[in-house]
Amino acid sequence: MTHGYTTGTGTNPEPAGPYGTPYAGAQGGTPYAGVPGGAPYGAPYGEEPGGVPGASHAVPRQRTTEPAPEAAAPEAAAPAAAPAPRKPGRDRYLDLLRSVALVRVVVYHLFGWAWLSVLFPSMGVMFALAGSLMARSLKRPALSVIRSRVRRLLPPMWAFGAVALALMFASGWNPAEDPDHGDTWGLLSLLNYIVPIGAPPYPWHSGSPSGLLDDTWAVQAAGPLWYLRAYLWFVLASPLLLWAFRRAPWPTLLAPLGLTAIVGTGLVKIPGETGNAVTDFAVYGSCWVLGFAHNEGLLKRIPRYVAVSGASLVMAFGLWWASGHLGPDGWDLNDIPMAQAAWSFGFVVILLQYSPSWQELPGRLAKWDKLVTLSNNRAVTIYLWHNLLIMLTVPIIDLLYRLPFMQSARAADALTDAYSLWMFALVWPLIGLMVLAVGWIEDLAAKRSPRLWPNGTKRSAGKRTTAGAAHRG
């Protein structure tokens, strides 16, 4: 179904999303395409929708008490001028959730562990965060908001599409001769690499099985594009969805779950990529609208015990449904639309119900501040390229077998047994290099000056100086 599809290296690797088959790299791995949030995950770090720079520290309110009338000094008769409230900055709790979701996606696609889809439903979380930021942005005219979101989404995708298509063509793929894409509509579908309204075409096999990359690399590389398509659909539908939510919040919130019960259970079957797109929209629609509910304060008006109890019941239903509809990879909810929709919905309700709205990461989490900032600033880049980079680890690690001290059978077996761990260790430096190489395109798309490594270092220093001056004053 919907495409949390992995690049697993286990014995039963997950499918690679609506577009893919299991990754056939070393150890039988399979990248997934799952997903998230200006960027598909919302406004870039340090800038709220509407171009308001984020603030790392809110000015604390001064405690005051009413003096007794007889003790009031004459000069106290005139009220002191209250400090002007500062505009709210980024919610670091939501930023942390987005970073965790991205890491989980990479790990899931690399190892293919089905239980990760239950432990942390990344795609539902990322759609909810993007929905919350979209609702906040829609305080401005809808057309300008949509234009801004699409502008931030497309340039990073164009860079990715240019590289992917160049590699496909260089490996001998001719879409006009492809039996799956050779007709007129197939050729026109190449436009989805420019605007992802539908599914982009790609060859199922590209190059040679003995080549640098596995011959299914194009399938895996194109996998993440399903998320961009779903995100674009949600962005375009958001003005209407928000209008409906403000007039009938509960029907709008629960309608996608009802739609999933129709199109995600086989009751009504929509063939082809249109069916995949509609199913994705249904499965994650309630999570997107939960973002609206979070932004509008609806969740905070519900007693916590009621919200958590109701969410737990919905999650229990999701697991019950999954138990009777297990796919080839067992408890992988990405293969079970109804279970994915219910579990993700309940999980997101609980996360947002307990949302502490941090202005800065507290305690031990503070040491991860720079990485959280970097991943939020480069969320689109990380998401788009991670599958391709996972596969690129294979030929790099294979070079180790040529080293002189690796010629013994014992050394080779040791490397083989730890192959997935080496892939995990290597993919993060490769992601870092890709952030340096093309991440700055996200800045240009957001009409900001390009930055190579936007981890908030300079910005944080400036904020500390400002905050210190405020406290001293």
Side-chain angles (χ1 to χ4, degrees), residues 6 27 31 127 138 144 215 233 242 271 296 309 325 340 343 347:
T6 88
Q27 307 302 314
F127 278 120
L138 283 172
S144 68
D215 66 351
W233 280 37
L242 186 58
E296 300 284 306
S309 299
H325 300 82
Q340 177 74 289
W343 182 262
F347 198 94

Side-chain angles (χ1 to χ4, degrees), residues 43-48 54-58 88-100 129 133 136 294 355-362 365-377 454-457 459-460 463:
Y45 182 79
E47 179 180 335
E48 291 299 336
S56 296
H57 306 274
R90 296 282 300 197
D91 188 330
R92 298 299 275 163
Y93 174 72
L94 302 185
D95 287 342
L96 178 64
L97 291 181
R98 187 176 294 110
S99 297
V100 171
L129 300 181
L133 289 174
R136 183 173 179 177
H294 175 261
S355 177
S357 297
W358 294 327
Q359 292 299 307
E360 56 184 13
L361 295 177
L365 291 175
K367 66 182 179 181
W368 300 100
D369 183 81
K370 292 181 180 179
L371 288 177
V372 169
T373 301
L374 179 66
S375 62
N376 275 264
N377 272 321
N455 63 356
T457 301
R459 177 181 176 275
S460 298
K463 292 300 179 182

